[in-house]
Structure formats: C-alpha cells, structure tokens
Amino acid sequence: MGMTIAEKIIARAAGKEEVRAGDIHTVTLDYLMSNDGTTHLTIDMYNNLKHPRIADKDKLVWIVDHNVPCDSPKTAASQKKMRDFARENGIAFYEGAGVCHQIMCEKYVAPGQLIFGADSHTCAYGALGAFGTGVGCTDYLYGMVTGGSWVLVPETLRFHLTGRLRRGVTARDLILTIIGQIGANGANYHAMEFVGEGMKTLSMSDRICICNLCVEAGAKTALMEVDEVTMEYLAAHGGREPAACFKSDPDAHFEKTYDIDLSSIEPVVAKPHFVDNIAPVSDVTGVKINEAFLGSCNNGRIEDLRLGASILKGRKVADKVRFLVVPASREVYLEALEEGLLDIFMEAGAMVMNPNCSVCWGSCQGVIGAGETLISTGTRNFKGRAGDKDSFVYLGSAATVTASAIAGEIVSADELGVL
C-alpha cells in the first residue's frame, strides 16, 4: 500500500522506508519556531535542566510578534528574557518583523520538512508542502535540546477541489465552509490534504490561508502538493530548495475524501462564539459592528491588503467604526507602501498598524469592550478572544471585513455593491 504526503514526510524525518497511520516514530526536526507567547516559559524550563544544551541553534527561529510594541512591564520582562537568551546562544531572532508564520513562510519553510512551532497555526506551512504542527513548551524544549522528537503518524482526510471560486469569494470563505461542514473536532489529530484541479486556481496566499485555519478543525497538520505555484513562491523568497517534493500515492489510504466544487462556495462568517458556527453573510447582514480587523497570519498578506484597498478606494470607514489594518510582515508592509495601498486605507479613515498579531491576539491592539462587536480576519472567535468576555467576534474574509467597515454593519462586498 502506498503512503500519503504526511506519511512520506514523517518517513523521511524518521529515516524509514515506510510508516503507517497509528505508528509512533522518533523523528529529526528541520526547524523549531517559537514566539513571545510562550518562549519565556521554555527558557525557564531550560535553565532548570541539569545539563542544558542546544542540539542545533541553526534550527531555532524565535519571533516576537504577539505583543508588539510591548504593552506592559511584565511583557517587557518576558521579551527581554527571550531577546537576551537568543543573543547569548546565537538563535535567529526577529522582533517587529511580522507574524511568526508569515516570516517562516517567507524565509525558512521548504517542501518536505518537518517543523515544530510553539503556536497552533504552524500547520500553515503545509501550503509549501511541509509538515508543520504546533506543540507546547515541554515538547518544544525536548526538540530544542535533542534536535528531534516523536510523532504519532496521523490518518489523512483528503479534500478534492474542483472548479474556481466566484468573484467576491475567497479562500477564507472556503476553509470556513469546510470547518463548518466537518466541525471544530472533525479533523482531530488528522492531516488535512488538499488536491485537485481547483488547486491550480489558488495563489500561495490562498493556500497559506487554508492550511493555517485547519487547526480550527482539530487537524494535526495540513498539506498540499508542490507545484509551479510553490516553486515560484520559493524562487521569489530566497530561492530555497525543497528537502523533498511529495505526492500521495494512488493507492494511499485516506480515512475519508471530500469533493468540493469551489464555484459552490459563498461568502460566509463564523458567528460567536465558535469557529464552526458558520452561516452565509446574508444571514447576518445588518448586525452592527464597532470594529473591523484586516490582518493576522491568516489574512494579512499583500493579496488581502490589495483586496481590501480595492474595495475601500474612494470610500470612507463608517462613523463610530474602528478599522485596523495590519500587514502580516515588514515585507508585506513595504510592498503595500510602495503600491500606495496604505494611503488608501489612511485616507479612508482606517488605522494602519505595525506588522504583528494585533487584534487577532486581543492583547496589545484593538481590544474590544463589553457588548462590542468585531468583524475580523483573525483566527478565532471564542469568548474573550479579542477583549472582554462579553464582546462578540465574527470571522470573515478580507472582502467581508472591509465592506462591513464601510457599511458599519456586517455585509458582503457583493451585497454592498463594491466588487
């Protein structure tokens, strides 16, 4: 029997000819990424080891992105701990450069790699054909001091895409629809693999968006085949060479296959307070908002900013609505600046912020108060995610968020007549 992409990557990392779902294997890791959310805890545990050592500093990438600029003395202390440790040990360190997953995709991730990240949305790396998965501090520390870890080989759910997304419909609408279909626990400890002719219509930005949110269905990782889009992205971002380019074998085992016609997808939102509480935008049209957010590791790339700016150009953000626009990285920020996109946002009354997690994290920027409603391209909408526990978060696409910022209430770009 053949192997899936997930199985092939784990086999490579384990030095095995063959692995099967349900097996447990010791693997060598290609990279370990950590951000300021938990790195200070990892450092504390490291300093308590009897014989602390770093197996390979060149495999470590540390990124300050969750609270940038720093929001309190307590946060300043934890970030200083991270900054000093990285400097003392020669660890690649980024601060103010953007969201961790965007930086990793721009500078490090290559097809065939197995990567641990101390953040749940590490599955975004599957857009580049890499097995990325989120881990806690203890597992991260073990990988840091040994260079390896163990992995339980996951079963794979396959999503076969055909057709093309209609105008005004985005990859964000697609993955939210899938999460609504299978549920927030529908892919628990599974790999979600995306294939089909429909993949050819999706940009790298689309693919990162899709893989990034798969953890919201419980996935261990998400994976896509390497193709021309992948190789063009790698060439444009440093010319990285793949570790391996894998495709699932024709006789590989999939626990279940879903057939999805992209042309059938419509603009949707995830309603409070669950990411799988999916409804067409038309079902919630008219819900008043206080704030809109365009950014995050899911929707802060240049394509998202271009879409938002194209809708907002010549229009204004509604009175009493705060619209925060946050590029996912410095590279994206500079590109948006050069293209004049930031001028469009600022002239319309939006607030353009420095590259960071911002409102999605709900800690350092754009925090919402009790009774307030946010429409967001962030990754989660549970109670208190973006501020007060009695606030309300709707998740939508860059198009829906921007249209809603103009209208002052939730509405699709199509309904508003701006596309």
Side-chain angles (χ1 to χ4, degrees):
M1 183 185 293
M3 292 192 291
T4 64
I5 299 175
E7 290 165 348
K8 289 183 178 183
I9 293 177
I10 292 174
R12 170 188 170 270
K16 303 287 185 180
E17 289 293 322
E18 181 180 286
V19 303
R20 294 295 169 206
D23 293 348
I24 296 176
H25 290 283
T26 300
V27 294
T28 299
L29 300 169
D30 291 286
Y31 282 113
L32 292 112
M33 185 282 298
S34 189
N35 60 45
D36 54 316
T38 59
T39 306
H40 59 291
L41 302 176
T42 301
I43 294 171
D44 288 343
M45 290 190 293
Y46 178 89
N47 288 333
N48 284 324
L49 296 175
K50 288 184 178 179
H51 304 290
R53 63 181 292 272
I54 296 175
D56 186 348
K57 67 177 181 60
D58 293 331
K59 289 186 176 182
L60 303 183
V61 183
W62 287 8
I63 300 168
V64 177
D65 65 350
H66 274 51
N67 293 79
V68 183
C70 189
D71 64 323
S72 70
K74 182 179 180 180
T75 301
S78 67
Q79 290 183 358
K80 183 179 186 301
K81 181 184 295 185
M82 181 179 178
R83 191 181 302 116
D84 291 347
F85 189 96
R87 185 182 299 113
E88 291 165 5
N89 292 279
I91 298 169
F93 183 78
Y94 296 86
E95 186 169 19
V99 186
C100 58
H101 305 305
Q102 182 67 20
I103 293 172
M104 288 297 292
C105 287
E106 289 176 356
K107 300 182 181 295
Y108 291 96
V109 179
Q113 293 178 336
L114 179 54
I115 301 172
F116 276 9
D119 187 277
S120 57
H121 294 98
T122 302
C123 51
Y125 310 162
L128 288 163
F131 189 118
T133 193
V135 297
C137 294
T138 304
D139 285 327
Y140 187 90
L141 178 64
Y142 185 84
M144 178 175 158
V145 301
T146 68
S149 188
W150 64 270
V151 174
L152 173 64
V153 183
E155 291 277 7
T156 295
L157 302 177
R158 187 174 238 204
F159 296 82
H160 187 263
L161 310 181
T162 58
R164 178 186 293 272
L165 294 171
R166 292 179 286 113
R167 180 176 172 82
V169 182
T170 70
R172 168 83 163 194
D173 297 304
L174 168 62
I175 187 57
L176 286 176
T177 299
I178 290 173
I179 294 169
Q181 179 181 353
I182 68 175
N185 295 309
N188 280 358
Y189 211 98
H190 285 65
M192 293 175 67
E193 179 182 311
F194 297 85
V195 297
E197 286 298 309
M199 285 295 302
K200 295 179 181 178
T201 69
L202 301 176
S203 68
M204 183 52 65
S205 179
D206 293 333
R207 298 176 186 198
I208 295 173
C209 170
I210 292 167
C211 289
N212 176 277
L213 272 194
C214 285
V215 71
E216 304 307 326
K220 180 68 174 175
T221 194
L223 288 158
M224 294 174 171
E225 296 177 355
V226 177
D227 60 10
E228 291 180 1
V229 173
T230 319
M231 298 309 295
E232 287 172 2
Y233 183 87
L234 292 172
H237 292 83
R240 282 164 280 159
E241 291 295 323
C245 296
F246 293 126
K247 293 184 178 182
S248 291
D249 295 322
D251 59 343
H253 170 74
F254 298 96
E255 185 173 289
K256 189 172 183 179
T257 297
Y258 297 85
D259 294 311
I260 299 175
D261 179 359
L262 298 182
S263 67
S264 69
I265 305 299
E266 61 181 314
V268 296
V269 294
K271 299 188 295 183
H273 298 281
F274 304 96
V275 72
D276 59 354
N277 189 16
I278 304 300
V281 175
S282 57
D283 282 7
V284 295
T285 296
V287 172
K288 300 296 183 182
I289 64 169
N290 304 98
E291 184 168 296
F293 168 58
L294 173 57
S296 87
C297 57
N298 195 254
N299 272 136
R301 281 167 289 282
I302 190 64
E303 293 85 352
D304 302 303
L305 270 60
R306 286 171 182 156
L307 177 57
S310 70
I311 294 170
L312 196 56
K313 188 173 183 179
R315 300 179 175 88
K316 294 290 184 181
V317 174
D319 290 341
K320 300 180 181 179
V321 170
R322 310 179 296 275
F323 186 21
L324 275 70
V325 178
V326 187
S329 71
R330 182 179 290 127
E331 179 179 304
V332 174
Y333 192 105
L334 291 173
E335 194 168 358
L337 185 65
E338 184 176 347
E339 293 182 15
L341 305 183
L342 303 188
D343 292 340
I344 293 172
F345 288 120
M346 294 291 285
E347 289 168 3
M351 293 179 277
V352 177
M353 314 302 287
N354 58 292
N356 76 115
C357 292
S358 191
V359 181
C360 179
W361 173 239
S363 181
C364 64
Q365 293 177 349
V367 175
I368 56 176
E372 289 196 308
T373 297
L374 164 72
I375 180 75
S376 169
T377 61
T379 56
R380 288 176 176 151
N381 66 338
F382 57 78
K383 279 194 172 188
R385 172 64 174 185
D388 193 278
K389 64 180 178 60
D390 293 321
S391 60
F392 303 89
V393 180
Y394 290 79
L395 302 179
S397 71
T400 298
V401 165
T402 306
S404 300
I406 296 168
E409 58 188 39
I410 297 177
V411 63
S412 71
D414 183 58
E415 290 174 310
L416 194 63
V418 292
L419 273 181

